[in-house]
Amino acid sequence: MKIAEIFRSLQGEGKNQGKACLFIRLAGCNLACTWCDTGYARSGGMEMGPDAILEQVWRVNPPYVCITGGEPLLQADELEPLLASLRRRGTAIDIETNGTIDFSRLQPYASVCMDVKCPSSGEQSDLALLAALRPQDSVKFVVKDEADCRYAQEVIATYRIAGEIFFSPVFGTDYKAITKFILVNNLPVRFQVQLHKIIGVQ
C-alpha cells in the first residue's frame, strides 16, 4: 500500500470530532479540489505492507483509527485485509472518502464519512452513493459560500441520507454567513469548524 503518513492527533471533523485517533493516511487521489489541504498526499507515498502498518498501529494500540487520504478507496483491495485485522482487535474505524468510489464492500469493517463535493471545490461526487449510507455513517459538505450552501441544500432535499450530515466551512471563510444560512433554511445539519486547523495539525 502507498502510505503518506501514520500519526496521532485529535479527530478534526465528523461525528468523532475531538477524540484521540490514530490516522493512517493513504497516498493517491483521483480529485484535485481547489481548497485541498493535503495536496502532499495526492501522489507519492511510502510502500508498506499490512504487517508493517499493523506493527506501527499496535505500538500505540489505539481504540480508534481513521483511514483517510488522498482517496483511500483507490487502494480498497489492499485496504480490506488491514481493516479486517483492525476489527478483529476490536478497533473502531472510520473511513473518510471523497464520494467517487463505491465503499459498500468496506462498510462491514468501518463507519464511512462521505464527502459531497460542492461547486467551490471544482470537483463532483457520485451522489448515487448516498443511498448506501447507514445511520452509523455520515456525510460532510465542505462549504465556502452561499452557492455551496444552496447546492448542499438541494442535495439534502433530493436524496435520502441515513447518516448524520455535517457542514464544515472551508477554513478562514465567513462562518457567520454559513451559520445564518443554516438557521434561515432550517437545515438538518451540524455546523462544525475544522478542529485540526485550529490545533495546528492536518
Side-chain angles (χ1 to χ4, degrees):
M1 298 173 67
K2 291 287 189 181
I3 303 296
E5 58 185 343
I6 299 175
F7 65 100
R8 292 186 75 191
S9 186
L10 302 182
Q11 175 59 270
E13 298 175 305
K15 58 190 181 65
N16 286 312
Q17 186 184 60
K19 286 187 176 181
C21 178
L22 181 75
F23 290 85
I24 303 174
R25 188 183 303 283
L26 278 63
C29 191
N30 56 339
L31 300 183
C33 297
T34 56
W35 34 249
C36 177
D37 57 6
T38 52
Y40 61 89
R42 289 187 58 214
S43 61
M46 178 173 56
E47 191 71 42
M48 295 181 70
D51 289 344
I53 296 169
L54 288 171
E55 182 180 352
Q56 289 201 32
V57 172
W58 301 147
R59 287 177 195 163
V60 179
N61 196 28
Y64 169 45
V65 168
C66 179
I67 309 295
T68 187
E71 174 44 60
L73 298 187
L74 291 172
Q75 302 184 65
D77 289 343
E78 297 84 357
L79 182 59
E80 187 168 7
L82 177 66
L83 296 176
S85 294
L86 291 169
R87 286 294 289 174
R88 282 195 294 271
R89 289 284 290 261
T91 306
I93 309 166
D94 283 348
I95 298 174
E96 297 179 341
T97 176
N98 63 25
T100 61
I101 300 172
D102 183 11
F103 46 76
S104 57
R105 64 183 280 195
L106 302 182
Q107 285 178 297
Y109 309 102
S111 172
V112 172
C113 180
M114 173 180 160
D115 268 19
V116 172
K117 299 302 181 182
C118 293
S120 71
S121 73
E123 297 288 359
Q124 191 169 6
S125 298
D126 180 359
L127 299 180
L129 295 174
L130 291 169
L133 293 172
R134 310 157 297 175
Q136 62 264 47
D137 299 321
S138 58
V139 175
K140 181 180 66 180
F141 294 90
V142 178
V143 293
K144 183 178 182 180
D145 50 29
E146 184 173 340
D148 282 354
C149 291
R150 293 203 178 280
Y151 174 78
Q153 181 183 28
E154 181 179 346
V155 171
I156 293 167
T158 303
Y159 293 85
R160 183 193 68 83
I161 299 175
E164 194 163 11
I165 305 169
F166 295 91
F167 265 32
S168 180
V170 174
F171 187 68
T173 195
D174 184 356
Y175 296 161
K176 288 184 179 180
I178 293 169
T179 301
K180 182 178 178 181
F181 188 92
I182 293 170
L183 294 173
V184 168
N185 293 280
N186 292 315
L187 296 184
V189 305
R190 282 178 61 185
F191 177 93
Q192 196 171 67
V193 296
Q194 295 176 311
L195 179 63
H196 51 292
K197 299 293 185 63
I198 296 170
I199 64 177
V201 296
Q202 294 293 343

